[in-house]
Amino acid sequence: MIQNTFKKELKELSRDGRVRISFLLVILLMAVATWISKNQYSATNEQYKEAETAERHIWEGQGEKNPHSAAHYGTYAFKPKYPLSLIDHGVDKFTGTSIFLEAHKRNEAQFSKAADQTGLARFGDLTPDFVLLFILPLLIVFLGYNAFTKEREMGTLVLLKSQGTSVWKLILGKWLAIFAPVFISLFLLFVVAGIVLSNLKDFGIFSWESLGVLFLVYIGYYIIFINLVLFISSKVKKSGISLVLSLSAWILACLAVPKAASNIAESQYPYPTRQEFAASINKDQKNGIDGHDPWNKQAKLLENKVLKEHNVDSLEQLPFNFDAYRMQKGEEHTAEIYFKHYNHLKTQFEQQSSLYRNLAVLSPFLPARFMSMAIANTDYATHWDFADAAEIYRVELQAFLNGNFAENSTYGEWSYRADESTWKNMPAFEYDPPELSETLGRNTSNLVVLMVWILVSFSLLFFTTKKL
């Protein structure tokens, strides 16, 4: 019975011109979106390599210079583009691509793609994740909204029941008929994407394992929609009503609930404005040591402490340049202030994310979206990780430069110039995204919620439709 129902449903779907056109449109959209993303991915990585190489060449070619001048001259940390971002662009469009690393200041990522786009960007970009998250569930609605209502309307359901047909076998046959084309389409897409990504050299480490997990996340997402659409079709009598209810479920799950969740999270745990954030940092800096002001209260306390520790009477008698030492202590104090305030931003982000995860019980879109971005390394958590790595490198860079200044000059010797080879001794900035195991660990709750949605939707479909 299952096999017969499966074959019969597939024949009907293949004969329906609307279904054929819908599938062709979705495949065309996916092909175009993948082609566009592949070109963008390749172009972005080529620009990344060029910028990284050029900036390192500029840094190493400074010539003889005072190390503290080099600290103010600064350098850049560039955020790499990861292979699976071809499938899910995530928040990369909004977070910026590079961070300027300079003395005394922690900067935010700059040059986001969204900042350079026109007002037409508000209509959205054609990307694979847009098709996967929004269009394919809509296709599932059109494939399954009349799976049972058409049997009622044509009177065949009564005939099947009179022949003793098992309800669960009928449901399973129809379920497989919708699942099979969706599964095959998604499988082919991911295989093609994997082949393309695995053949792009020097553009990040591609992992078939991560691609496989991402594939399973989307399969789980589509299973939920198949179950919900078939459940609605089994409970109503008219195809028109089933279509309206199924479309309403899609609108709620993919559009209304995510937007409402975003607004609720922002209202509950708001970020400070840029002005408030800068004012808080300036206030804390005034209460601490100023590396450039020898008459600063904290600087004088540090001076007395160092003189006492080395048992000398003047700064000239110290075995190092106290000016550079003081500037390094000022850097350390500034770094602590930035860590404190950026940690507050991260806490707000984590609280917003926690609220998002709690609201994910209202829509399967949310856990699927978060899992997809996390696996593709295009979520906010990965961006925070990159920004923190850049800040750690900035602090190490300042310590390296001020240390060179302190060790190789005497107090008041501002004319000191470091040798040209000095700049090569500081390793270039490198960043590796979190491993897949760490990513899955961070998103355990999203994975659990997605699994709960799958189990609940299966239960609704198979255990509440014993009688059609």
Side-chain angles (χ1 to χ4, degrees):
M1 182 61 196
I2 295 175
Q3 185 177 1
N4 291 334
T5 304
F6 174 70
K7 290 180 178 179
K8 175 248 184 188
E9 291 293 324
L10 280 183
K11 283 183 180 179
E12 289 187 356
L13 290 175
S14 63
R15 290 171 180 171
D16 192 332
R18 294 170 299 179
V19 173
R20 292 199 302 269
I21 292 173
S22 298
F23 257 107
L24 288 174
L25 287 175
V26 170
I27 292 172
L28 179 61
L29 285 174
M30 282 303 309
V32 173
T34 303
W35 179 74
I36 292 173
S37 293
K38 185 259 182 186
N39 290 340
Q40 290 177 344
Y41 176 79
S42 299
T44 300
N45 273 290
E46 288 174 1
Q47 292 171 1
Y48 167 78
K49 289 293 184 183
E50 291 175 3
E52 185 181 45
T53 302
E55 187 60 31
R56 185 63 184 180
H57 178 73
I58 292 172
W59 171 259
E60 293 181 354
Q62 295 181 81
E64 293 187 355
K65 182 183 289 186
N66 184 284
H68 195 67
S69 297
H72 280 284
Y73 183 72
T75 186
Y76 279 90
F78 296 97
K79 183 180 180 181
K81 193 79 170 170
Y82 309 110
L84 289 184
S85 65
L86 184 148
I87 295 176
D88 193 334
H89 291 200
V91 299
D92 280 359
K93 173 181 175 180
F94 307 97
T95 53
T97 58
S98 61
I99 300 177
F100 182 54
L101 310 176
E102 60 177 326
H104 316 311
K105 187 177 180 181
R106 175 174 180 173
N107 294 308
E108 297 178 11
Q110 307 173 71
F111 311 116
S112 67
K113 180 182 176 183
D116 297 328
Q117 290 183 322
T118 65
L120 292 175
R122 69 183 185 275
F123 296 109
D125 296 327
L126 180 59
T127 57
D129 56 286
F130 173 77
V131 178
L132 291 170
L133 288 164
F134 293 95
I135 304 302
L136 263 177
L138 189 59
L139 177 61
I140 291 172
V141 169
F142 289 115
L143 289 177
Y145 77 93
N146 65 345
F148 294 104
T149 54
K150 66 183 178 183
E151 304 285 2
R152 286 194 179 93
E153 291 169 344
M154 294 188 299
T156 54
L157 186 58
V158 176
L159 181 61
L160 289 170
K161 290 173 66 176
S162 67
Q163 294 177 343
T165 301
S166 175
V167 172
W168 75 268
K169 289 182 179 180
L170 181 64
I171 294 173
L172 185 57
K174 291 180 177 292
W175 188 92
L176 289 172
I178 299 175
F179 178 75
V182 173
F183 178 87
I184 293 171
S185 301
L186 189 69
F187 179 78
L188 292 176
L189 165 69
F190 272 66
V191 169
V192 171
I195 293 172
V196 170
L197 289 171
S198 60
N199 284 282
L200 290 175
K201 304 301 181 183
D202 303 323
F203 290 158
I205 300 175
F206 171 70
S207 168
W208 281 100
E209 183 183 8
S210 296
L211 184 67
V213 174
L214 188 61
F215 172 78
L216 293 177
V217 168
Y218 279 109
I219 284 296
Y221 179 56
Y222 300 144
I223 286 174
I224 295 168
F225 271 95
I226 293 172
N227 292 344
L228 293 178
V229 170
L230 289 180
F231 171 74
I232 292 172
S233 182
S234 71
K235 292 299 182 182
V236 299
K237 297 180 179 180
K238 299 293 184 181
S239 296
I241 297 175
S242 178
L243 178 59
V244 171
L245 291 177
S246 297
L247 286 174
S248 299
W250 175 80
I251 292 171
L252 284 172
C254 298
L255 302 175
V257 172
K259 183 59 178 177
S262 174
N263 291 338
I264 292 172
E266 289 178 4
S267 63
Q268 289 292 316
Y269 304 104
Y271 287 117
T273 64
R274 186 177 293 275
Q275 291 80 6
E276 292 171 343
F277 186 68
S280 299
I281 291 175
N282 289 333
K283 181 180 178 181
D284 285 351
Q285 285 179 328
K286 290 178 180 178
N287 296 329
I289 183 171
D290 186 342
H292 283 284
D293 183 6
W295 304 107
N296 173 261
K297 179 181 178 181
Q298 297 298 325
K300 295 300 292 183
L301 292 175
L302 176 67
E303 178 181 325
N304 294 331
K305 178 184 175 182
V306 171
L307 290 174
K308 186 176 181 180
E309 287 178 351
H310 288 79
N311 196 25
V312 295
D313 298 326
S314 65
L315 298 177
E316 288 81 358
Q317 296 175 330
L318 291 172
F320 53 84
N321 188 335
F322 182 76
D323 286 328
Y325 180 82
R326 183 183 60 245
M327 285 189 294
Q328 177 55 28
K329 289 300 179 181
E331 282 289 346
E332 293 172 3
H333 172 68
T334 301
E336 289 178 1
I337 292 173
Y338 277 110
F339 175 79
K340 168 188 170 183
H341 289 279
Y342 273 88
N343 197 48
H344 172 67
L345 294 183
K346 188 183 293 185
T347 300
Q348 294 296 98
F349 159 71
E350 290 172 350
Q351 289 175 327
Q352 286 187 4
S353 299
S354 178
L355 183 57
Y356 267 128
R357 288 191 292 270
N358 293 334
L359 294 173
V361 298
L362 302 176
S363 169
F365 175 90
L366 291 175
R369 180 57 163 161
F370 294 146
M371 288 292 297
S372 177
M373 290 193 299
I375 295 169
N377 290 315
T378 56
D379 60 342
Y380 270 118
T382 302
H383 179 72
W384 273 113
D385 195 52
F386 161 74
D388 287 344
E391 175 62 9
I392 291 172
Y393 180 82
R394 186 189 74 85
V395 172
E396 293 174 349
L397 177 63
Q398 302 310 312
F400 168 78
L401 295 172
N402 287 325
N404 179 280
F405 191 11
E407 293 170 7
N408 297 289
S409 63
T410 58
Y411 178 68
E413 190 183 352
W414 286 96
S415 60
Y416 167 72
R417 298 288 184 272
D419 187 76
E420 183 177 358
S421 61
T422 302
W423 323 123
K424 297 181 181 180
N425 294 330
M426 185 64 193
F429 172 75
E430 293 183 358
Y431 173 72
D432 294 318
E435 297 288 338
L436 177 61
S437 57
E438 183 181 349
T439 298
L440 294 178
R442 287 178 180 175
N443 290 270
T444 301
S445 60
N446 289 321
L447 190 59
V448 169
V449 171
L450 195 63
M451 291 300 297
V452 169
W453 264 102
I454 293 173
L455 293 175
V456 170
S457 62
F458 266 125
S459 299
L460 284 173
L461 180 60
F462 283 97
F463 295 112
T464 66
T465 54
K466 295 180 179 179
K467 294 182 180 180
L468 289 173

